[in-house]
Amino acid sequence: QPILDNFLKNLSSLHAQFEQQLFNETGKLIETSQGQMYIKRPNQFRWDYQKPYHQLIVADGENVWIYDPDLEQVTMKKLTKALGKTPALLLSSNRPIEEDFFVNPLPAKADITRLELLPKDAQAQFDSIRLNLRGETLLGFELVDNLGQTTLITFKQTERNQKLEESLFIFTPPAGVDVVTED
Amino acid sequence: CVSLPPLPPIPAGQLNRWQLQGRIAVSTQEDHWNAKVYWQQQGQTYQLRFNNPVGQGVIRLDGNQQQVVMQTADNKRFVATNPDTLVAETLQVNIPVTHLNFWIRGVPSPQPSPSNYQLNAAGQLTSLQQDNWQIEYKNYVKVQQFYLPQKLFLENDRFQVKIVITQWELNSPDFFSAEPKISLTD
């Protein structure tokens, strides 16, 4: 799929505001969250949920850290085992997309290129990921999981290939918080 | 031992249509399990969803007094009469769902009777011992005329459970209703 391969090949970093909406199997909106996301290829990202509560997910290239201040807990796991094929992992990984997905182009809508990614792994924990691009700008994702839920992520104020501070992708657990390793 | 005075009735005990959104962390010595939780209760009918931290569905329970159906992200489906045994057997995680329907509202479960409890000045439970579980209520939030927990820690001899509730909704008309499906590209 040249469009997606080119997009990822020319992508060294990405920063955007995101809004994430979760819909249940009847299409009812269950949760809306917002925050900032940063991606530095390969294998580094920061997904900073700010509303309605704080949750920080940082991939430092080797591990993924999930910090939930309200739960006073940090969960750490190997990047390779982390969170399945989430949009964040998809964008930051430099594995060729075709290794993990069948990529089907969908009918374009005006100037929006639409692609559907179907996981090759039969054990995948989700059904499909749809991706929308306008030229080199990533507009958003739509992820349908195996329980009929749809997660819609839309990006605003996207900045591509800017220099991003290294410290964004380093996470040190705050004092007094449970640090839990999930193998 | 000194017999415990019976617990005064707590208003949230009469709630039978409620919905919550929060996060749960369950730990044992060896294992840890984090999820976002969405719980909708209407009388004896409930839907309980556990999603992973980025929102992907992991487990869904749909149940009533007679039975509960569990669907998992790896496309498995289980049916049982009781959610507690179903969750314990399939996930090896002991989440006392039947008790939690009450505990999560800051109310003791009907049985067995609590072996201990403490109330604060406002008559809210600050701690509760019931069925070998120790529950600590960290703070409450006012929702309509009810005070409901926002953070609670539960512990028994093997499991530690932390629950944080981001949002409570009471008697909302659109429970279990269907609305048109919304998609990014429609």
Side-chain angles (χ1 to χ4, degrees):
Chain A
Q1 232 316 322
I3 304 169
L4 190 52
D5 288 334
N6 289 344
F7 170 74
L8 289 172
K9 211 169 6 49
N10 305 332
L11 186 69
S12 64
S13 79
L14 194 62
H15 169 216
Q17 315 287 341
F18 70 83
E19 177 172 273
Q20 182 170 325
Q21 294 178 306
L22 177 69
F23 298 89
N24 73 9
E25 67 291 354
T26 65
K28 178 169 173 277
L29 178 62
I30 310 180
E31 183 181 56
T32 303
S33 46
Q34 279 143 17
Q36 299 225 17
M37 75 94 164
Y38 307 79
I39 288 180
K40 193 157 169 249
R41 288 164 60 81
N43 300 331
Q44 291 185 314
F45 60 77
R46 181 186 189 88
W47 209 273
D48 188 357
Y49 288 90
Q50 289 153 347
K51 280 210 280 296
Y53 52 83
H54 283 284
Q55 180 173 277
L56 179 61
I57 305 176
V58 173
D60 58 17
E62 207 203 319
N63 296 308
V64 176
W65 305 80
I66 304 170
Y67 173 41
D68 189 317
D70 296 334
L71 281 176
E72 298 154 30
Q73 183 159 309
V74 169
T75 308
M76 189 199 90
K77 50 177 86 175
K78 280 269 165 276
L79 188 56
T80 49
K81 294 209 184 58
L83 308 177
K85 288 285 177 292
T86 60
L89 258 172
L90 192 74
L91 282 173
S92 54
S93 153
N94 52 11
R95 273 168 70 99
I97 289 280
E98 290 75 27
E99 260 183 45
D100 300 314
F101 295 96
F102 299 107
V103 182
N104 304 335
L106 296 171
K109 275 215 151 148
D111 57 355
I112 299 176
T113 309
R114 299 159 64 222
L115 298 168
E116 183 170 60
L117 280 59
L118 300 170
K120 287 187 173 176
D121 166 9
Q123 303 297 334
Q125 301 273 311
F126 65 96
D127 178 66
S128 64
I129 296 184
R130 284 183 179 184
L131 199 124
N132 282 1
L133 288 156
R134 179 184 286 129
E136 294 279 287
T137 308
L138 179 62
L139 300 177
F141 281 96
E142 182 184 335
L143 187 140
V144 179
D145 67 26
N146 288 338
L147 294 175
Q149 292 169 134
T150 302
T151 303
L152 211 57
I153 304 174
T154 42
F155 298 120
K156 296 189 186 69
Q157 291 141 30
T158 314
E159 291 163 1
R160 225 163 56 83
N161 297 340
Q162 306 288 317
K163 183 175 180 340
L164 295 179
E165 284 303 317
E166 197 42 42
S167 58
L168 286 166
F169 308 104
I170 296 165
F171 179 80
T172 330
V177 165
D178 291 345
V179 181
V180 146
T181 315
E182 258 180 44
D183 34 30
Chain B
C1 71
V2 166
S3 77
L4 200 64
L7 199 66
I10 296 174
Q14 302 120 26
L15 277 174
N16 80 3
R17 269 169 74 102
W18 52 267
Q19 182 172 291
L20 71 83
Q21 214 181 105
R23 276 109 62 222
I24 183 168
V26 182
S27 307
T28 63
Q29 288 306 341
E30 323 80 31
D31 250 334
H32 308 282
W33 190 71
N34 269 37
K36 286 181 166 184
V37 60
Y38 306 85
W39 189 331
Q40 196 176 97
Q41 188 84 26
Q42 199 174 335
Q44 296 297 327
T45 309
Y46 57 90
Q47 182 175 87
L48 188 49
R49 272 171 209 279
F50 296 102
N51 288 0
N52 72 19
V54 275
Q56 279 170 13
V58 178
I59 292 150
R60 190 174 116 204
L61 292 167
D62 290 277
N64 55 33
Q65 223 163 0
Q66 287 76 31
Q67 77 166 12
V68 52
V69 174
M70 173 195 276
Q71 289 163 75
T72 68
D74 39 22
N75 296 320
K76 296 204 182 80
R77 192 169 183 278
F78 304 91
V79 182
T81 49
N82 170 312
D84 306 337
T85 42
L86 179 58
V87 165
E89 272 153 24
T90 46
L91 306 178
Q92 286 77 46
V93 170
N94 179 333
I95 301 179
V97 177
T98 316
H99 285 326
L100 259 179
N101 176 7
F102 300 92
W103 291 345
I104 208 150
R105 287 181 274 147
V107 173
S109 187
Q111 328 91 11
S113 54
S115 43
N116 202 349
Y117 64 82
Q118 254 130 33
L119 297 169
N120 61 18
Q124 297 152 353
L125 273 175
T126 52
S127 82
L128 174 68
Q129 250 173 335
Q130 190 168 27
D131 203 13
N132 302 321
W133 283 89
Q134 172 67 35
I135 303 114
E136 301 294 330
Y137 290 96
K138 299 295 174 188
N139 53 13
Y140 282 82
V141 63
K142 193 163 195 297
V143 183
Q144 294 172 18
Q145 75 280 23
F146 297 96
Y147 283 93
L148 292 163
Q150 226 171 17
K151 190 182 221 179
L152 55 154
F153 291 173
L154 306 92
E155 204 170 351
N156 69 3
D157 51 10
R158 260 197 74 213
F159 290 92
Q160 277 174 341
V161 181
K162 293 194 249 185
I163 299 176
V164 158
I165 296 155
T166 326
Q167 192 182 11
W168 280 99
E169 243 181 272
L170 304 180
N171 305 328
S172 143
D174 64 359
F175 277 4
F176 295 111
S177 69
E179 269 140 17
K181 181 143 177 4
I182 298 157
S183 152
L184 188 73
T185 50
D186 289 351

